Amino acid sequence: MASFSSLITPISQNPKILLTNSNHSNCSKAIPHGFPSLGFGFGVSQHGRSFKQMRRIVTSSINQNEALVGNSSIQTFDIPVLTSSDAIERLKANRENHKGKQQFLAMYSSIFGGITTDPAAMVIPIDDHMVHRGHGVFDTAAIMEGYLYELDQHVNRIIRSAGMAKITPAFDKETLRRILIQTASASKCRNGSLKYWLSVGPGDFQLSPSGCNQPTFYAVVFQDESPSSYSKGIKVITSSIPIKPPQFATTKSVNYLPNVLSKMEAEEQGAFAGIWLDNEGFVAEGPNMNVAFVTKQNELLMPNFDKILSGCTANRILTLAERLVSEGKLRGVRVGNVSVEEGKKNSTEMMLIGSGILVLPVIQWDDQIIGNGAEGSIAQALLNLIIEDMKSGPPSVRVPIPY
């Protein structure tokens, strides 16, 4: 680790830093080269020197640097102080000028106790601990042809995640459910996604949530207009980013930095996603999706959920896959430990499963071609089953949106 004094930047390299003494109006001096400061107006004594000796050194250094400060071009910025209406106008302009591939159609916020359809107003307080401490959990439900798919399953999971994160939900389950349905209704969206968050709420910038005045709940309906370019199968890699410990991997929290880095690592290598291995070397999951295989014994095989997130879509796939067993297309369905060797070389098919991708066939893992290197029939059959379930499944998985 670098020493404290080695972190001090000489004034010649950083002329913008000023030493200001609030007790003396004329005391704005450049920090002298090599003078260690705590950043709060206190010097650090070094090498046994007394503060009187240090003061003489500082005075001499300041005198030597006064000319430098006077002649250097200290960059200044004309930053306006905005009124609330000015800030709102700039938020609107920013949204207009930076439109991405997703449309934000409606947002509920317990902070203002209502729903907005203005994307510029879809903001949350900076002091919400979900923002600066990551103390929040979330979940997502798909909207298909005017129905919320597996809403209750996802709401149950976010409540379970909140309990593991020691977050008291802002509302009871039925109220959360009602808010989500009304937000989807206000969005007018018939095909899209509903993402929602529970947080310990705003209050301060401390680590502990003891100063938070109330838990918060947010929900956003959006449509993704990005065309899929992975219809013929994808490549994955083994992620070098450390997997989360089971306590955190099984909680759907907003702490997604490992997931983001894993996804970025894969994209940098021309792959779609990284595959995590658990601490015993068994196949775990992707950054935001589960993994499944079809073995050479014609079984659908998924890794155990004890150390990873139990995916709602993955669990639904396990149920729907029984239909393929009854039709003789699969020999069986099971969950268990999956070694890398078994996943790469003893599988005829590999696929990623999640609410955002449904069923996505994998044709290459690292340098290993999976099966015959083409999209498999079981992956396609499972995709057809989940789409059919989203469009015409039982009431237990489809909740109508009252537009």
Side-chain angles (χ1 to χ4, degrees):
M1 181 180 292
S3 66
F4 181 82
S5 59
S6 70
L7 299 177
I8 303 300
T9 304
I11 188 67
S12 59
Q13 297 176 21
N14 195 352
K16 297 181 188 178
I17 299 179
L18 298 178
L19 178 64
T20 303
N21 186 331
S22 59
N23 296 325
H24 299 84
S25 60
N26 62 344
C27 229
S28 261
K29 306 294 186 180
I31 294 178
H33 172 68
F35 178 64
S37 169
L38 294 178
F40 298 100
F42 296 98
V44 180
S45 179
Q46 285 187 327
H47 308 301
R49 293 181 176 128
S50 69
F51 279 96
K52 186 176 291 185
Q53 290 172 316
M54 289 296 291
R55 183 177 178 181
R56 284 198 296 270
I57 294 171
V58 172
T59 303
S60 174
S61 298
I62 288 176
N63 290 336
Q64 292 172 15
N65 283 287
E66 277 183 337
L68 175 62
V69 174
N71 295 329
S72 63
S73 56
I74 299 178
Q75 207 171 4
T76 59
F77 300 93
D78 186 16
I79 302 175
V81 177
L82 305 175
T83 65
S84 59
S85 58
D86 290 336
I88 291 171
E89 287 304 313
R90 293 196 178 202
L91 283 170
K92 288 179 177 290
N94 183 68
R95 280 293 185 194
E96 287 297 320
N97 296 331
H98 299 89
K99 290 186 176 179
K101 295 179 179 178
Q102 290 183 339
Q103 276 190 299
F104 307 125
L105 304 176
M107 176 188 179
Y108 169 84
S109 170
S110 61
I111 293 294
F112 46 75
I115 299 167
T116 178
T117 57
D118 182 355
M122 297 178 187
V123 295
I124 63 177
I126 191 66
D127 61 332
D128 192 309
H129 279 225
M130 184 171 71
V131 176
H132 64 87
R133 296 300 178 190
H135 199 170
V137 294
F138 77 101
D139 224 298
T140 309
I143 300 173
M144 174 68 81
E145 296 187 351
Y147 285 78
L148 282 160
Y149 185 64
E150 289 201 300
L151 175 64
D152 293 305
Q153 291 81 349
H154 285 277
V155 169
N156 287 337
R157 186 170 65 179
I158 196 174
I159 292 174
R160 188 163 59 247
S161 292
M164 296 177 72
K166 295 187 176 181
I167 298 171
T168 301
F171 306 103
D172 60 31
K173 177 183 174 181
E174 189 53 41
T175 303
L176 292 174
R177 189 178 185 274
R178 188 164 58 249
I179 290 171
L180 292 172
I181 294 172
Q182 289 185 27
T183 304
S185 176
S187 74
K188 309 300 183 184
C189 178
R190 301 194 66 84
N191 293 285
S193 297
L194 172 62
K195 192 177 288 288
Y196 41 98
W197 299 260
L198 285 168
S199 166
V200 290
D204 53 36
F205 293 104
Q206 301 297 327
L207 185 62
S208 167
S210 60
C212 297
N213 50 47
Q214 61 179 351
T216 49
F217 182 54
Y218 309 105
V220 173
V221 177
F222 64 95
Q223 281 181 325
D224 197 328
E225 299 175 344
S226 305
S228 175
S229 57
Y230 299 99
S231 58
K232 295 184 179 180
I234 60 167
K235 173 187 175 182
V236 297
I237 63 168
T238 302
S239 180
S240 68
I241 306 300
I243 190 173
K244 296 176 187 176
Q247 179 182 357
F248 300 109
T250 55
T251 303
K252 199 171 177 68
S253 78
V254 298
N255 292 287
Y256 256 45
L257 183 57
N259 310 62
V260 170
L261 294 177
S262 178
K263 177 69 170 176
M264 291 176 68
E265 177 187 43
E267 291 177 342
E268 288 164 0
Q269 298 183 37
F272 178 79
I275 302 299
W276 270 319
L277 309 180
D278 67 19
N279 59 347
E280 296 181 84
F282 292 113
V283 178
E285 60 182 344
N288 62 342
M289 67 282 289
N290 292 102
V291 189
F293 303 88
V294 178
T295 68
K296 289 183 178 178
Q297 292 72 40
N298 205 32
E299 291 181 311
L300 180 67
L301 173 61
M302 282 191 199
N304 285 314
F305 294 117
D306 56 340
K307 298 179 181 179
I308 61 175
L309 189 70
S310 181
C312 294
T313 306
N315 278 287
R316 187 61 181 164
I317 285 288
L318 289 171
T319 299
L320 296 174
E322 294 293 347
R323 195 181 308 177
L324 300 183
V325 175
S326 64
E327 295 172 357
K329 296 178 181 178
L330 278 174
R331 182 180 175 185
V333 176
R334 66 184 175 94
V335 174
N337 289 330
V338 184
S339 68
V340 174
E341 178 79 10
E342 186 175 16
K344 286 185 174 182
K345 298 182 179 180
N346 191 42
S347 298
T348 58
E349 294 185 42
M350 178 179 179
M351 62 201 81
L352 302 179
I353 298 172
S355 61
I357 58 173
L358 300 182
V359 180
L360 196 55
V362 176
I363 59 175
Q364 183 177 340
W365 181 3
D366 293 328
D367 295 327
Q368 179 68 47
I369 300 299
I370 304 298
N372 61 6
E375 177 184 334
S377 60
I378 298 300
Q380 185 60 55
L382 291 173
L383 176 61
N384 293 339
L385 283 174
I386 197 76
I387 291 175
E388 177 188 347
D389 197 51
M390 295 174 79
K391 291 182 176 181
S392 58
S396 60
V397 296
R398 296 175 76 241
V399 175
I401 301 171
Y403 295 104

